[in-house]
Coordinates of all heavy atoms in Angstrom, one line a residue:
Chain B
V48 N 18.6 11.0 2.4 CA 17.3 11.6 2.1 C 17.1 11.6 0.6 O 16.0 11.3 0.1 CB 17.3 13.1 2.7 CG1 16.1 13.8 2.1 CG2 17.2 13.0 4.2
L49 N 18.1 12.1 -0.1 CA 17.9 12.2 -1.6 C 17.7 10.8 -2.2 O 17.0 10.7 -3.2 CB 19.2 12.9 -2.2 CG 19.3 14.3 -1.8 CD1 20.6 14.9 -2.5 CD2 18.1 15.2 -2.2
A50 N 18.3 9.8 -1.6 CA 18.1 8.4 -2.2 C 16.6 7.9 -2.1 O 16.2 7.1 -2.9 CB 19.0 7.4 -1.5
I51 N 15.9 8.4 -1.1 CA 14.5 8.0 -0.9 C 13.5 9.1 -1.1 O 12.3 9.0 -0.8 CB 14.3 7.4 0.5 CG1 14.6 8.4 1.6 CG2 15.1 6.1 0.7 CD1 13.9 8.0 2.9
L52 N 14.0 10.2 -1.7 CA 13.1 11.4 -1.9 C 11.9 11.0 -2.8 O 10.8 11.5 -2.5 CB 13.9 12.5 -2.4 CG 13.2 13.9 -2.3 CD1 12.8 14.2 -0.9 CD2 14.1 15.0 -2.9
G53 N 12.1 10.2 -3.8 CA 11.0 9.8 -4.7 C 9.9 9.1 -3.9 O 8.7 9.6 -3.9
P54 N 10.2 8.0 -3.2 CA 9.1 7.3 -2.4 C 8.5 8.2 -1.4 O 7.3 8.2 -1.1 CB 9.9 6.1 -1.8 CG 11.0 5.9 -2.7 CD 11.4 7.2 -3.3
L55 N 9.4 9.0 -0.7 CA 8.9 9.9 0.4 C 7.9 10.9 -0.2 O 6.9 11.1 0.4 CB 10.2 10.6 0.9 CG 10.1 11.1 2.4 CD1 9.9 9.9 3.3 CD2 11.4 11.9 2.7
H56 N 8.3 11.5 -1.3 CA 7.4 12.5 -1.9 C 6.1 11.8 -2.4 O 5.0 12.3 -2.3 CB 8.1 13.2 -3.1 CG 7.3 14.1 -3.9 ND1 6.7 13.7 -5.0 CD2 6.8 15.3 -3.6 CE1 5.9 14.7 -5.5 NE2 6.0 15.7 -4.7
G57 N 6.3 10.6 -3.0 CA 5.1 9.8 -3.5 C 4.1 9.5 -2.4 O 2.9 9.7 -2.6
V58 N 4.6 9.1 -1.2 CA 3.7 8.8 -0.1 C 3.1 10.1 0.4 O 1.9 10.1 0.7 CB 4.5 8.1 1.0 CG1 3.6 7.9 2.2 CG2 4.9 6.7 0.5
A59 N 3.9 11.1 0.4 CA 3.4 12.4 0.9 C 2.2 12.9 0.0 O 1.2 13.4 0.4 CB 4.5 13.5 1.0
R60 N 2.4 12.7 -1.3 CA 1.4 13.2 -2.3 C 0.1 12.4 -2.1 O -1.0 12.9 -2.2 CB 2.0 13.0 -3.7 CG 1.2 13.8 -4.7 CD 1.9 14.0 -6.0 NE 2.7 12.8 -6.4 CZ 2.1 11.7 -7.0 NH1 0.8 11.8 -7.3 NH2 2.8 10.7 -7.4
R61 N 0.3 11.1 -1.8 CA -0.9 10.3 -1.7 C -1.6 10.5 -0.3 O -2.8 10.3 -0.2 CB -0.6 8.8 -1.8 CG -0.2 8.5 -3.3 CD -0.2 7.0 -3.6 NE 0.4 6.9 -4.9 CZ -0.3 7.0 -6.1 NH1 -1.6 7.4 -6.0 NH2 0.3 6.9 -7.2
L62 N -0.9 11.0 0.6 CA -1.5 11.3 1.9 C -2.2 12.7 1.8 O -3.3 12.8 2.3 CB -0.4 11.4 3.0 CG 0.0 10.0 3.6 CD1 1.2 10.2 4.6 CD2 -1.1 9.3 4.3
T63 N -1.5 13.6 1.2 CA -2.1 15.0 1.2 C -3.0 15.2 0.0 O -3.8 16.1 0.1 CB -1.0 16.1 1.1 OG1 -0.2 15.8 -0.1 CG2 0.0 16.0 2.3
K64 N -2.8 14.4 -1.0 CA -3.6 14.5 -2.2 C -3.4 15.8 -3.0 O -4.2 16.2 -3.9 CB -5.1 14.4 -2.0 CG -5.5 13.0 -1.4 CD -7.0 12.9 -1.3 CE -7.5 11.7 -0.6 NZ -8.9 11.6 -0.5
N65 N -2.4 16.6 -2.7 CA -2.0 17.7 -3.5 C -0.5 18.0 -3.4 O 0.1 17.8 -2.4 CB -2.9 18.9 -3.3 CG -2.5 19.8 -2.2 OD1 -1.5 20.5 -2.3 ND2 -3.3 19.8 -1.1
E66 N 0.0 18.6 -4.5 CA 1.4 18.8 -4.7 C 2.0 19.8 -3.7 O 3.1 19.5 -3.1 CB 1.7 19.2 -6.1 CG 3.1 19.0 -6.6 CD 3.5 17.6 -6.6 OE1 2.9 16.7 -7.3 OE2 4.5 17.3 -5.8
A67 N 1.3 20.9 -3.5 CA 1.9 21.9 -2.6 C 2.0 21.4 -1.2 O 3.0 21.6 -0.5 CB 1.1 23.2 -2.7
D68 N 1.0 20.7 -0.7 CA 1.0 20.2 0.7 C 2.0 19.1 0.8 O 2.6 18.9 1.8 CB -0.4 19.7 1.1 CG -1.4 20.8 1.3 OD1 -0.9 22.0 1.4 OD2 -2.6 20.6 1.4
A69 N 2.1 18.3 -0.3 CA 3.1 17.2 -0.3 C 4.5 17.8 -0.1 O 5.3 17.2 0.7 CB 3.0 16.4 -1.6
E70 N 4.8 18.8 -0.8 CA 6.2 19.5 -0.7 C 6.4 20.0 0.7 O 7.4 19.8 1.3 CB 6.3 20.6 -1.7 CG 7.7 21.2 -1.7 CD 7.9 22.3 -2.7 OE1 7.6 22.1 -3.9 OE2 8.4 23.3 -2.3
D71 N 5.4 20.6 1.3 CA 5.5 21.1 2.7 C 5.7 20.0 3.7 O 6.5 20.1 4.6 CB 4.2 21.9 3.1 CG 4.1 23.3 2.4 OD1 5.1 23.7 1.8 OD2 3.0 23.9 2.4
L72 N 5.0 18.9 3.4 CA 5.1 17.8 4.3 C 6.5 17.2 4.3 O 7.1 16.8 5.3 CB 4.0 16.7 4.0 CG 4.0 15.4 4.8 CD1 3.8 15.7 6.3 CD2 2.9 14.5 4.3
V73 N 7.0 17.0 3.1 CA 8.3 16.5 2.9 C 9.4 17.4 3.6 O 10.2 16.9 4.4 CB 8.7 16.3 1.4 CG1 10.2 16.0 1.3 CG2 7.9 15.1 0.8
A74 N 9.2 18.7 3.4 CA 10.2 19.6 4.0 C 10.1 19.5 5.5 O 11.1 19.5 6.2 CB 9.9 21.0 3.5
E75 N 8.9 19.5 6.1 CA 8.7 19.4 7.5 C 9.3 18.1 8.1 O 9.9 18.1 9.1 CB 7.2 19.6 7.9 CG 6.9 19.5 9.4 CD 7.6 20.7 10.2 OE1 7.9 21.7 9.6 OE2 7.8 20.5 11.4
C76 N 9.1 17.0 7.3 CA 9.6 15.7 7.7 C 11.1 15.7 7.8 O 11.7 15.2 8.7 CB 9.0 14.7 6.7 SG 9.8 13.1 6.8
V77 N 11.7 16.3 6.7 CA 13.2 16.3 6.7 C 13.7 17.2 7.9 O 14.7 16.8 8.5 CB 13.7 16.9 5.3 CG1 15.2 17.2 5.3 CG2 13.3 15.9 4.2
T78 N 13.1 18.3 8.2 CA 13.5 19.1 9.3 C 13.4 18.3 10.6 O 14.3 18.3 11.4 CB 12.6 20.4 9.4 OG1 12.7 21.1 8.1 CG2 13.1 21.3 10.5
R79 N 12.3 17.7 10.8 CA 12.1 16.9 12.0 C 13.1 15.7 12.1 O 13.5 15.4 13.2 CB 10.6 16.4 12.1 CG 9.6 17.4 12.4 CD 8.3 16.8 12.7 NE 7.2 17.8 12.7 CZ 6.0 17.6 13.2 NH1 5.7 16.4 13.7 NH2 5.1 18.6 13.2
A80 N 13.3 15.1 11.0 CA 14.2 14.0 11.0 C 15.6 14.4 11.4 O 16.3 13.8 12.2 CB 14.3 13.4 9.6
W81 N 16.1 15.6 10.9 CA 17.4 16.1 11.2 C 17.4 16.4 12.7 O 18.4 16.1 13.4 CB 17.7 17.4 10.4 CG 19.0 18.0 10.8 CD1 19.2 19.2 11.5 CD2 20.3 17.4 10.6 NE1 20.6 19.4 11.6 CE2 21.3 18.3 11.1 CE3 20.8 16.2 10.0 CZ2 22.6 18.1 11.1 CZ3 22.2 16.0 9.9 CH2 23.1 16.9 10.5
Q82 N 16.3 17.0 13.2 CA 16.3 17.3 14.7 C 16.3 16.0 15.5 O 16.9 16.0 16.6 CB 15.0 18.1 15.0 CG 15.1 19.6 14.5 CD 13.8 20.2 14.4 OE1 12.7 19.6 14.6 NE2 13.8 21.5 14.1
A83 N 15.8 15.0 15.0 CA 15.7 13.7 15.8 C 16.7 12.7 15.4 O 16.6 11.5 15.6 CB 14.3 13.1 15.6
R84 N 17.8 13.2 14.7 CA 18.8 12.2 14.1 C 19.4 11.3 15.1 O 19.8 10.2 14.8 CB 19.8 13.0 13.3 CG 20.7 14.0 14.1 CD 21.4 14.9 13.1 NE 22.3 15.8 13.8 CZ 21.9 17.0 14.4 NH1 20.6 17.3 14.3 NH2 22.7 17.8 14.9
A85 N 19.5 11.8 16.3 CA 20.1 11.0 17.4 C 19.3 9.7 17.7 O 19.8 8.7 18.2 CB 20.3 11.8 18.7
S86 N 18.0 9.7 17.3 CA 17.2 8.5 17.5 C 17.3 7.5 16.5 O 16.7 6.4 16.6 CB 15.7 9.0 17.6 OG 15.2 9.4 16.4
L87 N 18.0 7.8 15.4 CA 18.3 6.8 14.4 C 19.4 5.9 14.8 O 20.6 6.3 14.7 CB 18.6 7.5 13.0 CG 18.9 6.6 11.8 CD1 17.7 5.8 11.4 CD2 19.4 7.4 10.6
A88 N 19.1 4.7 15.2 CA 20.1 3.8 15.7 C 21.0 3.2 14.6 O 22.2 2.9 14.8 CB 19.5 2.7 16.5
D89 N 20.3 2.9 13.5 CA 21.0 2.2 12.4 C 20.6 2.8 11.1 O 19.4 2.8 10.8 CB 20.6 0.7 12.5 CG 21.4 -0.2 11.5 OD1 22.0 0.4 10.6 OD2 21.3 -1.4 11.7
T90 N 21.5 3.2 10.2 CA 21.2 3.8 9.0 C 20.5 2.9 8.0 O 19.8 3.3 7.1 CB 22.4 4.5 8.3 OG1 23.4 3.5 8.2 CG2 22.9 5.7 9.0
R91 N 20.6 1.5 8.3 CA 19.9 0.6 7.4 C 18.4 0.7 7.6 O 17.6 0.3 6.8 CB 20.4 -0.9 7.8 CG 21.7 -1.2 7.2 CD 22.2 -2.5 7.6 NE 22.4 -2.5 9.1 CZ 22.9 -3.5 9.8 NH1 23.3 -4.6 9.1 NH2 23.1 -3.5 11.1
A92 N 18.0 1.3 8.7 CA 16.6 1.5 9.0 C 16.1 2.9 8.6 O 15.0 3.3 9.0 CB 16.3 1.2 10.5
F93 N 16.9 3.6 7.8 CA 16.6 5.0 7.5 C 15.3 5.1 6.8 O 14.5 6.0 7.2 CB 17.8 5.5 6.6 CG 17.7 7.0 6.4 CD1 18.2 7.9 7.4 CD2 17.0 7.6 5.4 CE1 18.2 9.3 7.2 CE2 16.9 9.0 5.2 CZ 17.5 9.8 6.1
R94 N 15.0 4.3 5.9 CA 13.8 4.4 5.1 C 12.5 4.3 6.0 O 11.6 5.2 6.0 CB 13.7 3.4 4.0 CG 12.5 3.5 3.1 CD 12.6 2.7 1.8 NE 12.5 1.2 2.1 CZ 12.0 0.4 1.2 NH1 11.6 0.8 0.0 NH2 11.9 -0.9 1.5
A95 N 12.5 3.3 6.8 CA 11.3 3.1 7.7 C 11.2 4.2 8.7 O 10.1 4.7 9.1 CB 11.4 1.7 8.4
W96 N 12.4 4.6 9.2 CA 12.5 5.7 10.2 C 11.9 7.0 9.6 O 11.1 7.7 10.2 CB 13.9 5.9 10.6 CG 14.2 7.0 11.6 CD1 14.0 7.0 12.9 CD2 14.9 8.2 11.3 NE1 14.5 8.1 13.5 CE2 15.0 8.9 12.5 CE3 15.5 8.8 10.2 CZ2 15.7 10.1 12.7 CZ3 16.1 10.1 10.3 CH2 16.2 10.7 11.5
M97 N 12.3 7.3 8.3 CA 11.7 8.5 7.6 C 10.2 8.4 7.4 O 9.5 9.4 7.5 CB 12.5 8.7 6.3 CG 13.9 9.3 6.5 SD 13.9 11.0 7.2 CE 13.5 12.0 5.8
F98 N 9.8 7.2 7.0 CA 8.3 7.1 6.7 C 7.5 7.3 8.0 O 6.4 7.8 8.0 CB 8.0 5.7 6.1 CG 8.3 5.7 4.6 CD1 9.1 4.7 4.0 CD2 7.7 6.7 3.8 CE1 9.3 4.7 2.7 CE2 7.9 6.6 2.4 CZ 8.7 5.7 1.9
R99 N 8.2 6.8 9.1 CA 7.5 7.0 10.4 C 7.4 8.5 10.8 O 6.3 9.0 11.2 CB 8.3 6.3 11.5 CG 7.7 6.4 12.9 CD 8.5 5.5 13.8 NE 7.8 5.4 15.1 CZ 8.1 4.5 16.0 NH1 9.0 3.6 15.8 NH2 7.5 4.5 17.2
I100 N 8.5 9.2 10.5 CA 8.4 10.7 10.8 C 7.4 11.4 9.8 O 6.7 12.2 10.2 CB 9.8 11.3 10.7 CG1 10.7 10.7 11.8 CG2 9.8 12.8 10.7 CD1 12.2 11.0 11.6
L101 N 7.4 10.9 8.6 CA 6.5 11.5 7.6 C 5.0 11.3 8.0 O 4.2 12.3 8.0 CB 6.7 10.8 6.2 CG 5.9 11.4 5.1 CD1 6.6 12.7 4.5 CD2 5.6 10.4 4.0
T102 N 4.7 10.1 8.4 CA 3.2 9.8 8.8 C 2.9 10.6 10.1 O 1.8 11.1 10.2 CB 2.9 8.3 8.9 OG1 3.9 7.7 9.8 CG2 3.0 7.6 7.6
N103 N 3.8 10.6 11.0 CA 3.6 11.3 12.3 C 3.4 12.8 12.0 O 2.6 13.5 12.6 CB 4.7 11.1 13.3 CG 4.6 9.7 13.9 OD1 3.5 9.1 13.9 ND2 5.7 9.2 14.5
T104 N 4.3 13.3 11.1 CA 4.2 14.7 10.8 C 2.8 15.0 10.1 O 2.2 16.0 10.4 CB 5.3 15.1 9.8 OG1 6.6 14.8 10.4 CG2 5.3 16.6 9.5
F105 N 2.4 14.2 9.2 CA 1.1 14.3 8.5 C 0.0 14.4 9.5 O -0.8 15.3 9.5 CB 0.9 13.2 7.6 CG -0.5 13.2 6.9 CD1 -0.8 14.2 6.0 CD2 -1.4 12.2 7.3 CE1 -2.1 14.2 5.5 CE2 -2.7 12.3 6.7 CZ -3.0 13.2 5.8
I106 N 0.0 13.5 10.5 CA -1.1 13.4 11.5 C -1.1 14.7 12.3 O -2.1 15.4 12.5 CB -0.9 12.2 12.4 CG1 -1.1 10.9 11.6 CG2 -1.9 12.3 13.6 CD1 -0.7 9.7 12.4
S107 N 0.1 15.1 12.8 CA 0.2 16.3 13.7 C -0.2 17.6 12.9 O -0.9 18.5 13.4 CB 1.5 16.4 14.4 OG 2.5 16.6 13.5
E108 N 0.3 17.7 11.7 CA 0.0 18.9 10.9 C -1.5 19.0 10.6 O -2.1 20.0 10.6 CB 0.8 18.9 9.6 CG 2.3 19.1 9.7 CD 2.6 20.4 10.4 OE1 2.2 21.5 9.9 OE2 3.3 20.4 11.4
R109 N -2.1 17.8 10.3 CA -3.5 17.8 9.9 C -4.3 18.2 11.2 O -5.3 18.8 11.1 CB -3.9 16.5 9.4 CG -5.3 16.5 8.7 CD -5.8 15.2 8.4 NE -5.5 14.3 9.5 CZ -5.9 13.0 9.5 NH1 -6.5 12.5 8.4 NH2 -5.7 12.3 10.5
R110 N -3.9 17.7 12.3 CA -4.6 17.9 13.6 C -4.6 19.5 13.8 O -5.6 20.0 14.2 CB -3.9 17.2 14.7 CG -4.8 17.1 15.9 CD -4.0 16.4 17.0 NE -3.9 15.0 16.7 CZ -2.9 14.2 17.2 NH1 -1.9 14.8 17.9 NH2 -2.8 12.9 16.9
K111 N -3.5 20.1 13.5 CA -3.4 21.5 13.7 C -4.4 22.2 12.8 O -5.1 23.2 13.1 CB -2.0 22.0 13.4 CG -1.0 22.0 14.6 CD 0.2 22.8 14.2 CE 1.4 21.8 14.2 NZ 2.6 22.4 13.6
M112 N -4.4 21.7 11.5 CA -5.3 22.4 10.5 C -6.7 22.2 10.9 O -7.6 23.1 10.7 CB -5.1 21.7 9.1 CG -4.0 22.4 8.3 SD -4.0 21.8 6.6 CE -4.3 20.1 6.7
L113 N -7.1 21.0 11.4 CA -8.5 20.8 11.8 C -8.9 21.6 13.0 O -10.1 21.9 13.2 CB -8.7 19.3 12.1 CG -8.6 18.4 10.9 CD1 -8.7 16.9 11.3 CD2 -9.7 18.7 9.9
A114 N -7.9 22.0 13.8 CA -8.1 22.8 15.0 C -9.2 22.2 15.9 O -9.9 22.9 16.5 CB -8.5 24.2 14.5
R115 N -9.3 20.9 15.8 CA -10.2 20.3 16.8 C -9.4 19.0 17.3 O -9.7 18.0 16.8 CB -11.5 20.0 16.3 CG -11.6 19.3 15.0 CD -13.0 19.1 14.5 NE -13.0 18.5 13.2 CZ -13.3 17.3 12.9 NH1 -13.4 16.4 13.9 NH2 -13.3 16.8 11.7
P116 N -8.6 19.3 18.3 CA -7.8 18.2 18.7 C -8.6 17.0 19.2 O -9.6 17.2 19.9 CB -7.0 18.8 19.9 CG -7.7 20.0 20.2 CD -8.4 20.5 19.1
R117 N -8.2 15.9 18.8 CA -8.8 14.6 19.4 C -7.7 13.5 19.2 O -6.7 13.7 18.5 CB -10.0 14.3 18.6 CG -9.8 14.0 17.1 CD -11.1 13.9 16.4 NE -11.0 13.8 15.0 CZ -11.1 12.7 14.3 NH1 -11.5 11.5 14.9 NH2 -11.0 12.7 13.0
E118 N -7.9 12.5 20.0 CA -7.0 11.4 20.0 C -7.0 10.8 18.6 O -8.1 10.3 18.3 CB -7.4 10.4 21.1 CG -6.3 9.5 21.5 CD -5.0 10.3 21.9 OE1 -5.1 11.3 22.6 OE2 -3.9 9.9 21.5
E119 N -6.0 10.9 17.9 CA -6.1 10.5 16.5 C -4.9 9.7 16.1 O -3.7 10.2 16.2 CB -6.3 11.7 15.6 CG -6.6 11.3 14.2 CD -7.0 12.5 13.4 OE1 -6.7 13.6 13.8 OE2 -7.6 12.3 12.3
Q120 N -5.1 8.6 15.5 CA -4.1 7.9 14.8 C -4.6 7.8 13.4 O -5.6 8.4 13.0 CB -3.9 6.5 15.4 CG -3.5 6.5 16.8 CD -3.5 5.1 17.4 OE1 -4.3 4.2 17.0 NE2 -2.5 4.8 18.2
L121 N -3.9 7.1 12.5 CA -4.4 7.0 11.2 C -5.6 6.0 11.1 O -6.1 5.7 10.1 CB -3.3 6.5 10.2 CG -2.3 7.6 9.8 CD1 -1.2 7.0 9.0 CD2 -3.0 8.7 9.0
V122 N -6.1 5.5 12.2 CA -7.1 4.5 12.2 C -8.0 4.5 13.4 O -7.6 4.9 14.5 CB -6.5 3.1 12.1 CG1 -5.7 2.8 13.3 CG2 -7.5 2.1 11.8
D123 N -9.2 4.2 13.2 CA -10.1 3.9 14.3 C -10.5 2.4 14.1 O -11.3 2.1 13.3 CB -11.3 4.8 14.2 CG -12.4 4.4 15.3 OD1 -12.1 3.5 16.1 OD2 -13.5 4.9 15.2
E124 N -9.8 1.5 14.8 CA -10.0 0.1 14.6 C -11.5 -0.3 14.8 O -11.9 -1.2 14.1 CB -9.1 -0.8 15.5 CG -7.6 -0.5 15.4 CD -7.0 -1.2 14.2 OE1 -7.7 -2.0 13.5 OE2 -5.8 -1.0 13.9
S125 N -12.1 0.3 15.7 CA -13.5 -0.1 16.0 C -14.4 0.1 14.7 O -15.5 -0.5 14.7 CB -14.1 0.7 17.1 OG -14.1 2.1 16.8
S126 N -14.0 1.0 13.8 CA -14.9 1.3 12.7 C -14.5 0.3 11.5 O -15.1 0.4 10.5 CB -14.7 2.7 12.2 OG -13.4 2.9 11.7
E127 N -13.6 -0.6 11.7 CA -13.2 -1.4 10.6 C -14.1 -2.6 10.4 O -14.2 -3.5 11.2 CB -11.8 -1.9 10.9 CG -10.7 -0.9 10.8 CD -9.3 -1.4 10.7 OE1 -9.2 -2.6 10.6 OE2 -8.4 -0.6 10.7
R128 N -14.8 -2.5 9.3 CA -15.8 -3.6 9.0 C -15.4 -4.2 7.7 O -15.8 -5.3 7.3 CB -17.2 -3.0 8.8 CG -17.8 -2.7 10.2 CD -19.1 -2.0 10.0 NE -18.8 -0.7 9.2 CZ -19.7 0.1 8.9 NH1 -21.0 -0.1 9.1 NH2 -19.4 1.2 8.2
E129 N -14.4 -3.5 7.0 CA -14.1 -4.0 5.6 C -13.3 -5.3 5.7 O -12.3 -5.4 6.4 CB -13.2 -3.0 5.0 CG -12.8 -3.3 3.6 CD -13.9 -3.4 2.6 OE1 -14.7 -2.5 2.5 OE2 -14.0 -4.5 2.0
N130 N -13.8 -6.3 5.0 CA -13.0 -7.5 5.0 C -13.5 -8.5 4.0 O -14.7 -8.5 3.7 CB -13.0 -8.3 6.4 CG -11.7 -9.0 6.6 OD1 -10.9 -9.0 5.7 ND2 -11.6 -9.6 7.8

Side-chain angles (χ1 to χ4, degrees):
Chain B
V48 167
L49 293 178
I51 60 159
L52 196 54
L55 206 61
H56 174 263
V58 174
R60 196 164 41 79
R61 291 194 188 280
L62 283 174
T63 60
K64 298 187 186 177
N65 86 69
E66 198 58 64
D68 288 347
E70 184 178 312
D71 287 347
L72 179 57
V73 168
E75 181 61 23
C76 165
V77 170
T78 302
R79 289 188 189 195
W81 177 250
Q82 288 164 351
R84 62 193 181 281
S86 70
L87 176 68
D89 184 345
T90 51
R91 283 174 297 185
F93 190 85
R94 184 167 71 150
W96 180 74
M97 283 298 279
F98 279 127
R99 183 173 186 164
I100 295 171
L101 185 84
T102 50
N103 285 340
T104 305
F105 172 70
I106 293 167
S107 61
E108 291 299 305
R109 194 190 44 179
R110 197 180 289 151
K111 272 191 244 164
M112 270 192 318
L113 290 174
R115 50 185 175 97
R117 60 190 174 108
E118 202 53 43
E119 189 171 18
Q120 300 175 323
L121 280 175
V122 65
D123 173 7
E124 299 282 353
S125 64
S126 70
E127 292 195 3
R128 284 169 303 176
E129 181 63 55
N130 212 357

